[in-house]
């Protein structure tokens, strides 16, 4: 477990209060609850599958971390190292980050992202990427506040229904 100060606490010189550690099976109920509260959609099967893929075993390229405050999981981040996708050297991808709404604006997501970046650096990558909906201003503002900028790729998609 790593203990980090949230940004607001660190600037005030207060003791660290947010701890970041690897996810445990017993965290799934809290993770599902946070996601359900934020998205309005209960996805228990999805989160159990994600736990099996990213939270189990010792795969250094996969990271599923949780933030604890006062002994309770209040947020999570998931990412992995992908090799040579889109012709690019290995880099880290963030594909999920969320914080219980009552704990937002206290630096929890920043602490989680820093911990993920540290893990990615230990995995040997020097670039972090993500994809998000262009109209999701909350998460877009968060990533920009962390130093992320528009990358060199353009997302394309098409409907497969005829």
């Amino acid at each position: 477990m790593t203990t980090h100060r949230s940004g607001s606490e660190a600037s005030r010189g207060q003791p660290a209060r947010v701890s970041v550690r690897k996810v445990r099976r017993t965290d799934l109920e809290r993770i599902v609850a946070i996601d359900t509260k934020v998205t309005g959609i209960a996805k228990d099967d999805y989160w159990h599958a994600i736990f099996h893929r990213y939270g189990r075993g010792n795969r250094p390229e996969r990271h599923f971390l949780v933030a604890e405050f006062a002994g309770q999981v209040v947020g999570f981040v998931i990412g992995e190292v992908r090799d040579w996708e889109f012709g690019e050297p290995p880099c880290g991808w963030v594909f999920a980050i969320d914080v219980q709404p009552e704990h937002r604006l206290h630096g929890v997501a920043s602490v989680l992202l820093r911990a993920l970046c540290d893990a990615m650096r230990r995995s040997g990558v020097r670039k972090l990427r993500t994809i998000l909906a262009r109209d999701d201003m909350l998460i877009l503002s968060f990533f920009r506040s962390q130093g992320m900028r528009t990358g060199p790729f353009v997302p394309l998609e098409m409907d497969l229904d005829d």
Side-chain angles (χ1 to χ4, degrees), residues 3-4 20 22 43 52 56 76 84 102 119 129 154 162:
T3 303
H4 299 270
V20 177
K22 289 184 177 182
K43 297 174 274 200
H52 285 281
R56 294 177 40 179
F76 58 89
W84 301 110
E102 297 82 7
R129 294 188 168 116
V154 175
D162 289 329

Side-chain angles (χ1 to χ4, degrees), residues 23-56 63-66 75-79 95-99:
V23 68
R24 299 176 189 139
R25 178 181 294 283
T26 55
D27 299 327
L28 278 174
E29 187 175 324
R30 287 285 310 143
I31 290 165
V32 169
I34 292 168
D35 179 63
T36 301
K37 187 169 190 170
V38 171
T39 66
I41 303 168
K43 297 174 274 200
D44 293 35
D45 292 344
Y46 168 79
W47 286 109
H48 281 83
I50 291 296
F51 174 78
H52 285 281
R53 184 172 179 183
Y54 293 94
R56 294 177 40 179
H63 307 281
F64 190 164
L65 306 173
V66 296
F76 58 89
V77 64
I78 306 169
F95 76 83
I97 186 167
D98 215 336
V99 173

Side-chain angles (χ1 to χ4, degrees), residues 95-139:
F95 76 83
I97 186 167
D98 215 336
V99 173
Q100 186 177 335
E102 297 82 7
H103 291 274
R104 291 182 177 173
L105 301 175
H106 298 286
V108 175
S110 297
V111 169
L112 282 165
L113 189 62
R114 273 198 307 271
L116 181 65
C117 288
D118 291 345
M120 294 290 183
R121 285 185 196 97
R122 287 192 299 276
S123 295
V125 298
R126 296 294 175 257
K127 178 118 15 216
L128 187 68
R129 294 188 168 116
T130 193
I131 295 175
L132 52 107
R134 70 180 69 210
D135 62 348
D136 190 339
M137 291 303 168
L138 178 67
I139 193 70

Side-chain angles (χ1 to χ4, degrees), residues 5-18 69 105-107:
R5 291 179 183 189
S6 68
S8 59
E9 291 171 332
S11 65
R12 292 190 307 256
Q14 295 180 356
R17 296 172 40 190
V18 176
F69 176 77
L105 301 175
H106 298 286

